[in-house]
Amino acid sequence: MAGKKKTDAVTLPGSGIYDNSFDRRIQNIPSYLPRETDGTNYSLIRGYMVTAFPKGKTGRFYMLNFLYNPSTVQVSHSIDAANQVMPAYTRSDQDTGTPLTAAGGTLQFSLLFDRSYEMSDPSQFNTVEGTYGVMADIHVLYNLVGINAKQQVWSSATSSDAASTQNGDVVGIMQMNPVWVNFNQARYSFADRLPHMSRMAYFGYLNSIDISFTHFTQRMTPVRCAVSIGMQLMSTVGWA
């Protein structure tokens, strides 16, 4: 997260947070998996969510890294009888358009975030995580779904200055922003054997977010939180 750590001031959480990192002490989970055939020893693979489109003038992608992988991932697929889009085999050969519709599937999982180390370490008090706790992670999530937005703010004119505008972050409404959710990493020897959907990589937009803050400091800064996420799956045609 470039530019988020300062010695004289703390960057406010908002649309400027593109990803989240964690204290290495809380990530120090030993791995007992056997080595690969090439001798490589992998550590714990963590999942993540990332926007399908780059955001802002920087052209960067918002990425929410998982501190802990979810213990349960629920996937459901269904047929939408109200969807009148005809399947490809019933359409004319001259109709080459690809319908941009949902795939009739949903994805549900829960995440946990903990900033105990950052909030208790004086050397990290001037960081976003050490100041705002799990709100650093929540604002990355807000950026994924478009809740954080830029807006021009008018400043009142004075006798010496004319009225001016400046960009500021505002809390808006949740939007249908396409994202990728990745839960695992295939072994190199099988990296191309299965399609993306079979590797627990899902594409769609988040349609529900439930956040429960479970622990606070004396200043009511949230230190831990649980996030339940519901996602509408979409076809990966043109994306995969």
Side-chain angles (χ1 to χ4, degrees):
M1 185 156 61
K4 73 176 181 179
K5 292 179 171 60
K6 292 185 178 182
T7 56
D8 55 344
V10 179
T11 303
L12 294 176
S15 59
I17 297 183
Y18 288 89
D19 53 31
N20 57 333
S21 58
F22 304 99
D23 191 287
R24 64 180 182 180
R25 288 171 290 182
I26 202 170
Q27 294 189 92
N28 190 21
I29 300 176
S31 175
Y32 300 100
L33 295 177
R35 291 179 178 270
E36 297 289 337
T37 55
D38 61 357
T40 304
N41 188 18
Y42 290 106
S43 59
L44 177 66
I45 300 298
R46 288 174 166 84
Y48 62 91
M49 284 191 293
V50 61
T51 51
F53 297 107
K55 302 294 181 180
K57 296 181 180 180
T58 60
R60 295 183 60 182
F61 294 83
Y62 289 124
M63 176 179 289
L64 179 68
N65 297 296
F66 300 167
L67 175 59
Y68 303 110
N69 293 322
S71 58
T72 301
V73 177
Q74 182 178 349
V75 185
S76 64
H77 299 279
S78 61
I79 295 177
D80 185 3
N83 192 337
Q84 300 300 319
V85 177
M86 294 186 299
Y89 61 83
T90 64
R91 299 164 64 186
S92 170
D93 295 337
Q94 297 178 354
D95 184 4
T96 59
T98 301
L100 301 178
T101 60
T106 58
L107 175 70
Q108 294 181 335
F109 59 96
S110 297
L111 301 172
L112 297 174
F113 294 99
D114 188 340
R115 293 295 180 177
S116 298
Y117 284 105
E118 290 87 350
M119 296 296 296
S120 60
D121 188 349
S123 66
Q124 301 190 51
F125 283 176
N126 287 331
T127 65
V128 175
E129 297 86 350
T131 301
Y132 297 100
V134 293
M135 287 305 298
D137 308 289
I138 296 303
H139 274 281
V140 177
L141 180 60
Y142 281 176
N143 289 329
L144 281 169
V145 298
I147 291 180
N148 282 340
K150 288 285 188 180
Q151 179 179 340
Q152 283 191 341
V153 180
W154 287 85
S155 62
S156 58
T158 63
S159 57
S160 59
D161 298 325
S164 61
T165 61
Q166 60 182 359
N167 290 329
D169 288 326
V170 297
V171 177
I173 61 174
M174 190 170 175
Q175 302 177 29
M176 298 169 57
N177 287 343
V179 299
W180 282 97
V181 178
N182 292 272
F183 290 108
N184 68 359
Q185 176 179 315
R187 295 176 183 269
Y188 289 134
S189 58
F190 285 87
D192 299 324
R193 301 292 180 88
L194 297 175
H196 286 292
M197 293 293 285
S198 297
R199 295 207 304 262
M200 294 191 73
Y202 301 98
F203 176 72
Y205 60 88
L206 305 188
N207 55 14
S208 67
I209 296 174
D210 295 320
I211 304 170
S212 298
F213 298 104
T214 59
H215 186 68
F216 301 87
T217 67
Q218 64 272 25
R219 296 186 177 184
M220 284 301 293
T221 302
V223 180
R224 301 185 188 120
C225 71
V227 183
S228 297
I229 292 177
M231 179 176 178
Q232 174 66 54
L233 300 180
M234 297 172 60
S235 172
T236 60
V237 175
W239 298 87

